Every structure is written in structure tokens, then in C-alpha cells.
Amino acid sequence: MAKLSYLGLGVMGAPMARHLITRGQHEVTVYNRTGAKATAFAAQYGAKVAATPREAAAGADIVLACVGNDHDLRQVTLGPQGAFAGMAPGTMFIDHTTASAEVARELFAAGAAKGIEFVDAPVSGGQAGAEAGALTIMCGGTPAAYARAEPIMGTYAKACRLMGPSGAGQLTKMVNQICIAGLVQGLAEGIAFAQKAGLDPLEVVAAISKGAAQSWQMENRHNTMAEGKFDFGFAVEWMRKDLRICLETARQTGAQLPVTALVDQFYARIEQAGGQRLDTSSLITLLG
Ligand code: NAP
């Protein structure tokens, strides 16, 4: 049992914090920007509530977070009310936000100056994976920090791996998003093609989904894509945030992402039509 704090009780953060209490039996203090969510969570699961990240972090062995983006992460860590101001030397911060490798390295350095370890630990598996406690987690940091973080994250992970020094977890998550982007577009084109050709897309997928074209997206999204339902997972606006990070990093490293850049433009069109909260399989709506 450890004394933990969790910052950010959103779609992903709330189930992770819940598993820390119910599966891990840890003592957890929670902070959420919209306080009502933290109060409701605490009443249901028996956590303590803090009014600021700093207050939540005070006295904790390990502080965890899952907020939106780089800006949000800086807001909950830095400054007079940020978590780092409340953390003692020898403590650790585990960040589950999907953010840039730069902000991870920046916070690793800011933490190190105060004797705080920082692990970037973005997740894959979506809301369903978080609810089931079956996330995949890719980490960046020192081996010693990772060894300390792993058993804590194990309460809601099915796979967890140290990828290298600070930032390596975020870089690995970028690879994950790059692989997904082209794949979802391919699946959208396949289903739209089947429909135009007069085939039943469900029959088509039943025929091909055990062969070389199989994918998680095919297994889990073909049905709803064919029905034109797009409320089943990761939102377009989150994907655009992630692809922006990928494209900026590619510019810095010289990597080429032609298909990813194109798919990002397709998502921009969906956003312009008001579809920012649709899930990423909504790419098929552009192929009607
Ligand atoms: P969400 O439901 O919108 O939750 C975001 C959380 O961050 C909320 O608790 C929000 O507080 C808090 N927050 C945002 N900005 C903040 C700020 N400036 N200061 C303090 N708190 C702030 O998002 P989510 O779906 O859980 O996603 C969180 C992260 O996980 C993102 O980086 C996302 O890319 C990543 N991710 C999501 C999924 C998914 O399927 N949803 C999958 C993998 C990775 P309020 O309640 O006050 O808004």
C-alpha cells in the first residue's frame, strides 16, 4: 500500500484512480479541475479530495496524472499551485497524458532539480481498456523509477514496458498513433468500397478478418462504421492533438509521414463539419 494522488478524473483518469483504490488497496487523494467530479468520485470510492494539485501532492509517495495536453500538464505540475510544489524529494510523478516528448523531458529535468522522479507513461486501450484495467503503457524514464512505477501501474495495465530515457514513452505512443491513422483510413475505404460494390460489409469482414487484413480496428469498429455510428471511442479532436505532436516531431527528426499528414487533413475536414467529438472511425463519412 502506498500513499498516492491522482490528478485528472476524466474518461481515462477516473477508472485508473478507481483501480488504484479497489484493486491496489492504496490510499488515494484525488484532484480534478472541475471539483464536483472529484467530490462524486470520492463519495463513491472513498478517496480524499484536494482543492489544488499542490494540496493533493503533499504527503504522497507517488503522484499520477492524466490530463489533456502539454499545456494542461504544465498547469498541474508547475507553478505555485502545481504538484511539484507540494512534492518532497524522493517522491515520483507518473504521467499518463498523451503529450509531447519535449514536455516529458522538461518535467523530468524540473523534477530532477527537486529530487522528484518523473516517468512519462502514455496509455493505449481507450476507455474500455481503462475501465477493464487492461491498458497498454509505454514508459520513459530511468530504470530505477520504472521499477518503482511498474507495480503501481500494474493495477490497471495488461502490458507495461520501459522504452528508454525520458520522452521515450511519448515517442512510442506517437508510433502507435501513426500506425492507427493510416489503418483506419484503409478500413474506411474498404468498407465504403464494399458498400458501393453492393456487398454486405459485415459479410466481407467475416470473410477477411482472420486473414492478412485483420486489425483491432477491423475487429472493433467495422460494425459501427458500416452503420454510420461514431460514438465508440477515441474522439477526432484528441486524435488531431496526437497527430500534431507526431507531425511536429517528424519535422524535428526528419522522419517522413506522408499518409499520417493526409489523414490529419481528413480529420480536419471532419472537425470543420462539427465532428470533433465523433470517434476516429468517422473517416468513412468523407467517402459517401
Ligand atoms: P477527458 O475525459 O477530457 O479528461 C481530461 C481530464 O483532464 C479531466 O479531468 C480535466 O478536468 C483535466 N484537465 C484538462 N485540462 C486541465 C487543466 N488545464 N488543468 C487541470 N485539469 C485539466 O480526457 P480523456 O479521454 O481522459 O484523455 C486524457 C488523456 O488521455 C489525453 O491526453 C488523451 O489523448 C489520452 N488518451 C485518451 C484515450 C481515450 O480513449 N479517451 C485513449 C488513450 C489516451 P475537467 O474535468 O475539469 O475538465
Side-chain angles (χ1 to χ4, degrees), residues 200-252:
D200 176 349
L202 304 193
E203 286 294 311
V204 171
V205 169
I208 69 172
S209 64
K210 301 293 175 257
Q214 73 176 163
S215 66
W216 185 97
Q217 298 288 340
M218 181 177 278
E219 282 292 319
N220 291 280
R221 293 286 177 269
H222 76 276
N223 219 332
T224 46
M225 281 170 97
E227 289 174 1
K229 293 180 179 164
F230 307 111
D231 188 22
F232 297 92
F234 194 58
V236 165
E237 65 181 346
W238 280 143
M239 188 60 161
R240 286 217 77 206
K241 182 254 303 177
D242 293 0
L243 295 183
R244 186 166 53 247
I245 294 171
C246 296
L247 294 166
E248 280 168 9
T249 305
R251 260 195 296 281
Q252 292 157 12

Side-chain angles (χ1 to χ4, degrees), residues 17-85:
R18 167 166 57 81
H19 289 308
L20 290 171
I21 297 169
T22 56
R23 286 187 181 175
Q25 302 284 301
H26 297 297
E27 194 183 312
V28 178
T29 299
V30 293
Y31 161 80
N32 196 70
R33 178 180 57 181
T34 307
K37 266 193 219 171
T39 312
F41 179 94
Q44 196 168 357
Y45 300 111
K48 281 191 206 147
V49 180
T52 64
R54 178 185 183 153
E55 188 185 313
D61 306 314
I62 299 177
V63 180
L64 303 100
C66 188
V67 292
N69 56 29
D70 286 20
H71 166 81
D72 305 330
L73 183 56
R74 288 192 181 96
Q75 282 211 321
V76 298
T77 49
L78 305 174
Q81 294 310 320
F84 283 9

Side-chain angles (χ1 to χ4, degrees), residues 12-280:
M12 301 298 284
M16 286 192 246
R18 167 166 57 81
H19 289 308
L20 290 171
I21 297 169
T22 56
R23 286 187 181 175
Q25 302 284 301
H26 297 297
E27 194 183 312
V28 178
T29 299
V30 293
Y31 161 80
N32 196 70
R33 178 180 57 181
T34 307
K37 266 193 219 171
T39 312
F41 179 94
Q44 196 168 357
Y45 300 111
K48 281 191 206 147
V49 180
T52 64
R54 178 185 183 153
E55 188 185 313
D61 306 314
I62 299 177
V63 180
L64 303 100
C66 188
V67 292
N69 56 29
D70 286 20
H71 166 81
D72 305 330
L73 183 56
R74 288 192 181 96
Q75 282 211 321
V76 298
T77 49
L78 305 174
Q81 294 310 320
F84 283 9
M87 293 172 73
T91 58
M92 176 159 67
F93 194 101
I94 302 172
D95 174 40
H96 290 307
T97 310
T98 302
S100 69
E102 282 86 34
V103 78
R105 293 180 195 125
E106 175 191 321
L107 294 176
F108 179 89
K114 299 177 133 226
I116 300 166
E117 297 185 289
F118 183 90
V119 176
D120 50 297
V123 304
S124 169
Q127 181 175 7
E131 296 286 349
L135 291 167
T136 295
I137 310 185
M138 36 230 122
C139 301
T142 66
Y146 177 76
R148 190 173 163 200
E150 193 186 26
I152 301 290
M153 297 187 291
T155 55
Y156 45 76
K158 71 171 178 199
C160 201
R161 185 183 277 257
L162 178 64
M163 304 308 301
S166 181
Q170 294 297 353
L171 291 170
T172 305
K173 173 74 182 183
M174 291 175 213
V175 176
N176 187 71
Q177 301 308 74
I178 290 163
C179 293
I180 287 173
L183 200 148
V184 177
Q185 176 63 16
L187 181 59
E189 291 183 16
I191 291 175
F193 178 93
Q195 286 171 327
K196 296 257 192 235
L199 294 169
D200 176 349
L202 304 193
E203 286 294 311
V204 171
V205 169
I208 69 172
S209 64
K210 301 293 175 257
Q214 73 176 163
S215 66
W216 185 97
Q217 298 288 340
M218 181 177 278
E219 282 292 319
N220 291 280
R221 293 286 177 269
H222 76 276
N223 219 332
T224 46
M225 281 170 97
E227 289 174 1
K229 293 180 179 164
F230 307 111
D231 188 22
F232 297 92
F234 194 58
V236 165
E237 65 181 346
W238 280 143
M239 188 60 161
R240 286 217 77 206
K241 182 254 303 177
D242 293 0
L243 295 183
R244 186 166 53 247
I245 294 171
C246 296
L247 294 166
E248 280 168 9
T249 305
R251 260 195 296 281
Q252 292 157 12
T253 61
Q256 295 187 42
L257 297 177
V259 172
T260 305
L262 185 62
V263 174
D264 182 53
Q265 290 308 303
F266 294 156
Y267 282 128
R269 282 172 56 193
I270 293 175
E271 275 197 325
Q272 279 154 15
Q276 53 272 25
R277 298 303 300 176
L278 298 181
D279 77 55
T280 48

